Amino acid sequence: MLKRRGEITAIKDLFAKYKTTLQAPQKSVELETIRVVGEILHITLKEEQVSYTVSSRIIRISAPSIIRQEVQLKSSAVLAELKKRLGAKSAPTTIL
């Protein structure tokens, strides 16, 4: 459907192009991971304990083994929540 001159476009449609092409930056994914792990598992992680590789979409947690094991047990729930919050294109695929 062609837009005519003077028609009003919804604001949500104006940014649709950027929403599909842009990816979340590394720091945003790391901070969101800390938030999601805190909400789901009630475990507090520090920023230096979480690292994210954008090219491979892998989150690496360098915390004590008990914490890593808990995160691995609930990794499907954490990844699903991250996919919901960040979008399929920006969400990580693996937690190590």
Side-chain angles (χ1 to χ4, degrees):
M1 176 198 246
L2 294 173
K3 295 249 181 212
R4 294 189 186 129
R5 186 177 176 125
E7 264 188 59
I8 297 175
T9 305
I11 291 177
K12 65 178 180 174
D13 296 336
L14 294 175
F15 299 109
K17 175 184 174 185
Y18 300 110
K19 200 172 197 180
T20 58
T21 58
L22 295 178
Q23 282 187 325
Q26 176 183 358
K27 191 68 169 180
S28 298
V29 175
E30 291 173 355
L31 292 175
E32 197 62 36
T33 301
I34 292 170
R35 241 180 256 129
V36 168
V37 167
E39 290 173 6
I40 293 177
L41 302 173
H42 306 292
I43 295 173
T44 305
L45 293 173
K46 298 177 185 168
E47 286 185 38
E48 57 269 2
Q49 292 178 325
V50 178
S51 63
Y52 176 64
T53 307
V54 178
S55 59
S56 61
R57 293 172 45 178
I58 294 176
I59 292 180
R60 184 174 310 276
I61 297 176
S62 57
S65 62
I66 294 174
I67 294 175
R68 283 195 317 255
Q69 191 173 28
E70 283 296 316
V71 173
Q72 283 293 331
L73 287 173
K74 301 285 186 172
S75 66
S76 59
V78 171
L79 290 173
E81 185 64 27
L82 285 171
K83 189 173 184 180
K84 190 186 316 179
R85 290 186 185 191
L86 297 171
K89 189 172 183 179
S90 298
T93 56
T94 310
I95 298 177
L96 297 178

